[in-house]
Amino acid sequence: MKTRDNKPRQRFPVESLRLKRSGTVAIFRQLEEQLRDAIWQGRLKPGERLPSTRQLASELGIARNTVVSAYEQLSVEGFIHTHKGSGTSVAKNFPPPLKNIPVTRDKTLTNTSEDTSVFAHHLQHLTPIERLIPNKDSLPLRPFRPHTPACDQFPRHIWTQLTTRRLRKMPRSWLERHSPAGNKHLREAIAGYLGASRNMLTSPEEVFVTAGVQQAIILLAKLLINPGDTVCVEDPGYTPATVVFQLAGAKVVPIPVDQHGLNVDFLANRIKQAKLIYVTPANQYPLGVSLHQTRRKALAQWASQCGALIIEDDYNGEYQYRGRPLTTLHTTADSGQVIYLGSFSKLLFPALRIGYMIVPSTFIKPLSTLRWLVDRHSPPLEQAVLADFINQGHFARHLRRMRTLYATRQASLVSAAKKYLNDVISIEAKDSGLHLIGWLAGGVDEKALLFSAQKAAIDLLPLSEFDLQSNQKPGLILGYAPFEPEAIETSAKKLRDTFAACSR
Amino acid sequence: MKTRDNKPRQRFPVESLRLKRSGTVAIFRQLEEQLRDAIWQGRLKPGERLPSTRQLASELGIARNTVVSAYEQLSVEGFIHTHKGSGTSVAKNFPPPLKNIPVTRDKTLTNTSEDTSVFAHHLQHLTPIERLIPNKDSLPLRPFRPHTPACDQFPRHIWTQLTTRRLRKMPRSWLERHSPAGNKHLREAIAGYLGASRNMLTSPEEVFVTAGVQQAIILLAKLLINPGDTVCVEDPGYTPATVVFQLAGAKVVPIPVDQHGLNVDFLANRIKQAKLIYVTPANQYPLGVSLHQTRRKALAQWASQCGALIIEDDYNGEYQYRGRPLTTLHTTADSGQVIYLGSFSKLLFPALRIGYMIVPSTFIKPLSTLRWLVDRHSPPLEQAVLADFINQGHFARHLRRMRTLYATRQASLVSAAKKYLNDVISIEAKDSGLHLIGWLAGGVDEKALLFSAQKAAIDLLPLSEFDLQSNQKPGLILGYAPFEPEAIETSAKKLRDTFAACSR
């Protein structure tokens, strides 16, 4: 290559172009990129003339069409102008480079604590949330991780069959926009199921499909809460709900929970006005107790008196091992008082991000607007497959199987804990749920125990992470649902051994 | 049935039970429900004795096991207590009914304007949002609905094939929790595609998968905005983004748009400090113009000077009909300055709720926490199928086909409009997008035209619905992508005829 000093009006430094003939990037694109950068960075000045395509091709020893292609794209993008007769030049009016602003990459945004919002910063320090989030494609599943069903028991072949069938006869309209309230068939299937199995009087027009319970809570918070509104929550309780209410500007009041569930006397004595109360009556999160019937009645009366809405999160409500699932508050209380939340994530598999809420039909329209603003709607194919899964009886059948299985596995946990960890924790069988609380025995150092568990590759989630103001006695949330009895036994023994070794 | 007056301690009015033998509800459940209601409503008093299962069965003329079953469930639920020897009685401590609170159903929540938040109330009156939301399972697709691709052209058989294949070899871990940042394969596929086709330098670690662009905007607003922060938006612009920024408490400043895109001079003269600017440089929403190259450079310089982040929503960026898609701001500007948003909804099909953003890798962790809090993650199966669709070249192939098709359909719209609507609107061909703006001719009454369209079952979205402060001259957003040339021609003619008839 040689410079073109003999042409004064065109000072373009062709020698600055570096084309790699052996690379993966096409020559025309390399040329285009380098010219673009030179113009953007001000090395080629506004109005400056460029060599003709013929000249440049010859100097670079490349095909003329390659230069034509690069010039064409740069022209479409407005970097250069080609005028018949007067040749090609850099677009005029390109702003000159700023002084004192170094042109370096990745200088902004590197320190997230400076750039992000107070809320995001705060959120990063919520440990119970952090440790629940998989940072790889999936978390290793090991005892005693709570809040997880037995995915290996899910009838995947049926799900696959139903999906394939739906896919084959999917009408074109499925590819288009869908109702934010949910697929018609799924709304019907849910209302039907709740009527038949849970004794709930509801209609498809009251079912609003969501991407799980968490999204239902977010939508309700947006729909209902004005800044300063009082929202009562359980303490200890489901922290991710509390965070959502706080984010909506609510004044969140923690109400203590004891062995009969929410302390409604405490509630009724302290709180005379509230917008909402969020409860998990079937299987309190995280204590696992169910809300006593007399307290349910008192709660409904309190809500009537102070005009509060009850959000009933039926957490683990289907996992009842004695008798049938408990009657919901939605059924017993005045129906206008209670919004019912259900999820399929823990009943079928966690990756299925579909839940729902039962709301007064007048709420469907504003909730649809909100959902549309948030993420439009849930995936239509998954919704339809789930509807088929429910309607063909697979759902009820799977739940029945899981109830039997989980009851057995709970018994394994209790017996393993009594056998190996009797000095460390005390544990009691329950009629429901996917986990039990292991209360720490007197004198056991929680930190040392957690450290031992980490060493032994065992998941122990301390109860204290879900405390708001209450100081529960120390305990552990022990999941059993996805683990074989042998794994439960082995892990209990390993925890005992490691803890003993560490304590020595 | 007879009353049991001979037993003073047990005043249970058996005659109040009404069991339907021919109904669909099992007898034991009817019994259980009616007893439950009686206790809940206080017709059966706390501590009151119930007949023995044998007595009740004989009086009702039903099997004893039926009564046992009902009593058992009521006992599990805590409504009644059974003590060996002393029989069965209603649980003590049930709160007596409140006075002056009528026990009626559905009295709360019926008036949404009283119960819902100010925000939700406000949202209901945002007409441009309202009219975009399908309230049935899908909206009828008719000219000239904008923002919609040609779903009938999507290679559904390939998508079905890929889905079936993935389903068949899906490992169990797929059913478990997934990373909120997105499926590894999809993040790799997106980074690869952007590098190869869009000339963007990015890595999978900078890709964050979302449930569409709207969710990306919401997550960014939560991540970045503190109340009172300045956020600049285009005017007219994408209203649903504006609403999100307002909701986050930002001070939203509308910046006018002209035929060269955002008026950056106006911006630089007025705004000396801002947190964010949201722009659609490839194909301005809704005007369809692309941001002039000199303005892009000035925008990047303005952002450097005032420390603002640029959110580049690459709206319709792939739909470029002359040359290749325009180089993105993310490529030309300092990469730390620009967050890039992409979506698959308008490239493949709207029901596919998958989009993504390219962010500095330090943002992935806080964004994951936020996404987890919002709805956990996108469906793993759809993510994997999309990754396959991209990696096997179907994505690029489909886009190429659609570019050719849409260019033809745009030409049909221009020619039909010139043929039939020349007195009503003026329209100009463009190199990009899924819609054109039809500017109303002088003297044409917009309201009358919209009324005619409604009468003729034609969708006309007025430009004015996306105005913030600017008063654009009146125009219509005319979509062409999903419509056959014949449908475009017929609709243009029908609109002309109806409008002529109405104006007479």
Side-chain angles (χ1 to χ4, degrees):
Chain A
M1 288 184 231
K2 51 173 182 151
T3 54
R4 310 264 314 162
D5 300 318
N6 53 334
K7 281 221 171 186
R9 283 180 62 218
Q10 193 253 99
R11 300 163 300 121
F12 176 64
V14 174
E15 75 283 2
S16 72
L17 297 172
R18 294 271 175 277
L19 305 181
K20 281 186 201 164
R21 272 140 225 270
S22 56
T24 52
V25 181
I27 300 286
F28 79 88
R29 178 165 285 180
Q30 294 183 44
L31 180 60
E32 179 192 318
E33 268 174 42
Q34 293 182 27
L35 289 173
R36 186 188 289 115
D37 275 0
I39 298 170
W40 183 269
Q41 287 159 16
R43 287 183 279 123
L44 279 172
K45 303 278 174 301
E48 192 168 332
R49 247 189 97 190
L50 292 178
S52 71
T53 52
R54 190 185 304 272
Q55 280 172 344
L56 191 55
S58 125
E59 291 183 30
L60 293 171
I62 58 179
R64 189 176 161 206
N65 265 351
T66 305
V67 183
V68 170
S69 172
Y71 273 24
E72 206 166 272
Q73 183 68 17
L74 290 172
S75 166
V76 167
E77 295 190 359
F79 281 96
I80 60 176
H81 285 295
T82 306
H83 297 285
K84 275 255 152 34
S86 61
T88 302
S89 55
V90 174
K92 286 174 188 166
N93 310 325
F94 237 84
L98 291 177
K99 276 161 197 159
N100 308 322
I101 304 263
V103 185
T104 51
R105 299 212 158 222
D106 294 323
K107 70 187 156 50
T108 340
L109 290 187
T110 44
N111 185 340
T112 54
S113 64
E114 259 178 41
D115 287 308
T116 57
S117 69
V118 172
F119 168 72
H121 197 63
H122 173 71
L123 204 60
Q124 279 190 72
H125 296 92
L126 286 177
T127 45
I129 288 187
E130 273 303 318
R131 80 155 64 197
L132 295 170
I133 304 175
N135 49 16
K136 301 251 174 66
D137 260 5
S138 65
L139 276 179
L141 182 61
R142 56 195 199 183
F144 296 99
R145 195 168 94 196
H147 314 310
T148 307
C151 289
D152 55 347
Q153 299 293 319
F154 181 72
R156 281 193 285 152
H157 59 288
I158 295 175
W159 191 263
T160 301
Q161 227 170 55
L162 296 175
T163 306
T164 316
R165 206 171 295 161
R166 274 282 173 189
L167 269 171
R168 247 186 275 127
K169 57 179 185 181
M170 173 171 76
R172 193 203 62 185
S173 64
W174 276 40
L175 299 176
E176 296 173 10
R177 292 178 184 85
H178 285 254
S179 162
N183 176 284
K184 190 170 153 283
H185 301 292
L186 180 58
R187 295 172 75 190
E188 285 166 1
I190 291 172
Y193 174 79
L194 292 178
S197 298
R198 301 301 301 277
N199 203 15
M200 285 171 66
L201 196 71
T202 181
S203 76
E205 288 71 38
E206 296 177 321
V207 178
F208 190 93
V209 175
T210 63
V213 158
Q214 185 70 22
Q215 189 183 57
I217 297 171
I218 289 182
L219 293 175
L220 288 173
K222 286 205 174 123
L223 178 70
L224 298 168
I225 296 174
N226 283 319
D229 281 350
T230 297
V231 172
C232 301
V233 298
E234 297 166 329
D235 183 14
Y238 183 56
T239 329
T242 308
V243 173
V244 169
F245 297 131
Q246 284 168 336
L247 175 62
K251 189 180 150 236
V252 172
V253 184
I255 308 294
V257 175
D258 60 26
Q259 72 274 25
H260 300 299
L262 187 84
N263 188 332
V264 181
D265 277 350
F266 181 99
L267 172 73
N269 288 334
R270 304 287 180 94
I271 311 298
K272 301 300 172 194
Q273 220 195 354
K275 181 83 195 195
L276 280 182
I277 182 162
Y278 168 82
V279 287
T280 52
N283 197 266
Q284 202 272 331
Y285 187 107
L287 293 182
V289 298
S290 74
L291 184 58
H292 195 277
Q293 209 51 249
T294 59
R295 291 193 177 180
R296 288 173 182 238
K297 175 75 183 171
L299 172 61
Q301 290 186 340
W302 168 85
S304 282
Q305 277 180 312
C306 70
L309 260 172
I310 301 171
I311 299 183
E312 175 180 31
D313 181 349
D314 193 30
Y315 173 70
N316 284 348
E318 295 280 0
Y319 290 131
Q320 179 70 28
Y321 308 129
R322 202 184 126 219
R324 278 169 295 112
L326 303 184
T327 303
T328 61
L329 260 177
H330 186 274
T331 303
T332 39
D334 291 359
S335 67
Q337 284 193 315
V338 179
I339 289 174
Y340 174 90
L341 311 187
S343 165
F344 294 100
S345 306
K346 287 190 187 60
L347 300 179
L348 301 179
F349 53 94
L352 181 67
R353 303 305 318 150
I354 300 186
Y356 60 91
M357 44 184 158
I358 308 298
V359 295
S361 55
T362 48
F363 274 36
I364 297 293
K365 197 174 167 238
L367 282 172
S368 296
T369 309
L370 281 167
R371 176 88 204 256
W372 188 88
L373 193 68
V374 162
D375 66 354
R376 308 294 193 252
H377 55 72
S378 292
L381 178 66
E382 278 191 328
Q383 289 188 70
V385 171
L386 178 54
D388 293 344
F389 194 81
I390 296 172
N391 289 334
Q392 297 179 17
H394 304 296
F395 181 61
R397 201 170 307 126
H398 179 62
L399 283 188
R400 276 199 301 278
R401 276 188 60 227
M402 290 308 101
R403 283 189 198 110
T404 315
L405 182 77
Y406 295 163
T408 318
R409 293 186 172 181
Q410 193 198 77
S412 301
L413 173 61
V414 172
S415 97
K418 291 208 193 294
K419 188 165 162 194
Y420 296 110
L421 296 163
N422 217 15
D423 300 341
V424 183
I425 53 171
S426 79
I427 198 167
E428 256 181 76
K430 279 211 156 54
D431 291 334
S432 60
L434 298 179
H435 71 260
L436 290 176
I437 303 292
W439 298 102
L440 257 57
V444 171
D445 178 11
E446 181 173 310
K447 273 192 186 156
L449 184 60
L450 293 175
F451 177 77
S452 306
Q454 203 174 13
K455 246 188 112 177
I458 284 168
D459 275 0
L460 286 188
L461 187 60
L463 194 52
S464 57
E465 296 203 346
F466 297 91
D467 281 354
L468 294 173
Q469 288 177 358
S470 76
N471 283 308
Q472 292 283 334
K473 20 177 217 177
L476 304 167
I477 303 176
L478 302 170
Y480 50 80
F483 310 115
E484 304 275 355
E486 300 74 48
I488 291 173
E489 168 124 5
T490 315
S491 299
K493 185 170 179 306
K494 198 159 141 206
L495 180 59
R496 192 265 317 262
D497 293 346
T498 319
F499 187 53
C502 289
S503 310
R504 214 174 289 141
Chain B
M1 291 183 224
K2 53 177 181 147
T3 56
R4 312 258 319 156
D5 299 322
N6 52 336
K7 284 224 170 182
R9 285 180 60 219
Q10 193 256 96
R11 303 163 298 122
F12 176 65
V14 174
E15 74 282 3
S16 72
L17 295 173
R18 296 270 176 278
L19 303 181
K20 282 187 199 160
R21 272 142 226 269
S22 56
T24 51
V25 182
I27 300 285
F28 79 89
R29 176 165 285 181
Q30 294 183 43
L31 180 60
E32 180 193 315
E33 268 175 40
Q34 293 182 26
L35 288 173
R36 187 188 288 116
D37 274 0
I39 298 171
W40 183 269
Q41 287 160 16
R43 287 182 280 120
L44 280 172
K45 300 279 174 300
E48 190 168 334
R49 249 190 94 191
L50 292 178
S52 73
T53 53
R54 190 186 306 273
Q55 281 172 346
L56 191 55
S58 122
E59 289 183 32
L60 293 173
I62 58 180
R64 189 176 162 209
N65 265 351
T66 304
V67 184
V68 169
S69 171
Y71 274 24
E72 209 165 86
Q73 182 68 19
L74 291 171
S75 167
V76 167
E77 295 191 358
F79 281 97
I80 61 176
H81 285 295
T82 307
H83 296 286
K84 275 256 147 40
S86 61
T88 301
S89 55
V90 174
K92 287 175 187 164
N93 310 324
F94 236 84
L98 291 177
K99 280 164 193 156
N100 309 323
I101 305 264
V103 184
T104 51
R105 299 215 157 219
D106 294 320
K107 67 185 160 47
T108 341
L109 289 186
T110 44
N111 184 341
T112 54
S113 63
E114 258 177 41
D115 286 309
T116 58
S117 68
V118 172
F119 169 71
H121 196 64
H122 173 71
L123 204 59
Q124 279 188 75
H125 296 93
L126 286 177
T127 44
I129 288 188
E130 274 302 319
R131 80 154 64 194
L132 296 170
I133 305 174
N135 49 14
K136 303 250 173 68
D137 259 5
S138 65
L139 278 178
L141 183 60
R142 57 194 199 186
F144 296 97
R145 195 168 96 197
H147 314 310
T148 307
C151 288
D152 55 347
Q153 297 294 320
F154 181 71
R156 283 194 284 153
H157 60 288
I158 295 177
W159 191 263
T160 302
Q161 228 171 53
L162 296 175
T163 306
T164 315
R165 206 171 293 161
R166 275 281 173 188
L167 270 170
R168 248 187 273 127
K169 56 177 186 182
M170 174 170 74
R172 192 203 63 187
S173 64
W174 275 42
L175 300 174
E176 297 174 9
R177 292 177 183 85
H178 285 254
S179 163
N183 177 284
K184 192 171 152 283
H185 300 294
L186 180 58
R187 294 172 74 190
E188 285 166 1
I190 291 171
Y193 175 78
L194 292 178
S197 297
R198 301 301 302 275
N199 203 16
M200 284 171 67
L201 196 71
T202 182
S203 76
E205 288 71 38
E206 296 178 321
V207 178
F208 191 93
V209 175
T210 63
V213 159
Q214 184 71 20
Q215 189 184 56
I217 297 171
I218 289 182
L219 293 176
L220 288 173
K222 285 202 174 127
L223 179 69
L224 299 168
I225 296 173
N226 284 318
D229 282 350
T230 297
V231 172
C232 302
V233 297
E234 297 167 328
D235 183 14
Y238 183 57
T239 330
T242 308
V243 173
V244 169
F245 296 131
Q246 283 168 337
L247 175 62
K251 189 182 149 234
V252 172
V253 184
I255 308 295
V257 175
D258 60 28
Q259 73 274 27
H260 299 300
L262 187 83
N263 187 331
V264 182
D265 276 349
F266 182 99
L267 172 73
N269 288 336
R270 304 286 181 96
I271 312 297
K272 300 303 174 192
Q273 219 194 358
K275 181 85 194 190
L276 280 183
I277 182 161
Y278 168 83
V279 286
T280 51
N283 198 264
Q284 203 272 333
Y285 187 106
L287 293 184
V289 297
S290 75
L291 184 58
H292 195 278
Q293 209 52 249
T294 58
R295 291 194 177 179
R296 288 173 183 237
K297 174 74 182 173
L299 172 61
Q301 290 186 340
W302 168 85
S304 282
Q305 276 180 314
C306 71
L309 262 171
I310 301 169
I311 299 183
E312 174 180 30
D313 181 347
D314 192 31
Y315 173 71
N316 283 350
E318 296 280 0
Y319 290 130
Q320 179 69 29
Y321 308 129
R322 199 182 130 220
R324 277 168 295 112
L326 303 185
T327 303
T328 61
L329 260 177
H330 187 274
T331 302
T332 38
D334 291 359
S335 68
Q337 283 193 316
V338 179
I339 289 175
Y340 174 92
L341 310 187
S343 165
F344 294 100
S345 306
K346 289 194 186 59
L347 300 179
L348 301 180
F349 53 94
L352 180 67
R353 302 304 318 148
I354 300 186
Y356 60 91
M357 45 185 156
I358 308 298
V359 295
S361 56
T362 48
F363 274 35
I364 297 293
K365 198 173 167 239
L367 282 171
S368 297
T369 309
L370 282 166
R371 175 88 205 254
W372 189 88
L373 193 69
V374 163
D375 65 355
R376 308 293 193 257
H377 55 72
S378 293
L381 178 65
E382 277 191 330
Q383 289 189 67
V385 171
L386 178 54
D388 294 343
F389 194 81
I390 296 171
N391 289 334
Q392 296 178 18
H394 304 298
F395 181 61
R397 202 170 307 127
H398 179 61
L399 283 188
R400 275 198 303 276
R401 274 187 62 227
M402 290 308 101
R403 282 188 201 113
T404 315
L405 182 78
Y406 296 165
T408 318
R409 292 186 172 181
Q410 196 200 76
S412 302
L413 172 61
V414 172
S415 95
K418 291 208 193 292
K419 186 165 164 194
Y420 296 108
L421 296 164
N422 216 17
D423 300 341
V424 182
I425 53 171
S426 79
I427 198 166
E428 254 180 77
K430 278 211 158 54
D431 291 333
S432 60
L434 298 180
H435 70 259
L436 290 176
I437 303 293
W439 298 102
L440 257 59
V444 172
D445 179 10
E446 181 173 313
K447 273 193 186 155
L449 184 60
L450 294 175
F451 177 76
S452 306
Q454 204 173 14
K455 249 188 111 179
I458 286 169
D459 275 359
L460 286 189
L461 187 60
L463 193 54
S464 58
E465 296 203 347
F466 297 91
D467 281 353
L468 294 173
Q469 288 178 358
S470 76
N471 282 306
Q472 292 283 333
K473 21 177 217 176
L476 304 167
I477 303 177
L478 302 170
Y480 51 80
F483 310 114
E484 304 275 356
E486 300 74 50
I488 291 174
E489 167 124 9
T490 315
S491 299
K493 183 170 181 304
K494 198 158 143 208
L495 180 59
R496 193 263 319 261
D497 293 347
T498 319
F499 186 53
C502 289
S503 310
R504 215 173 288 140

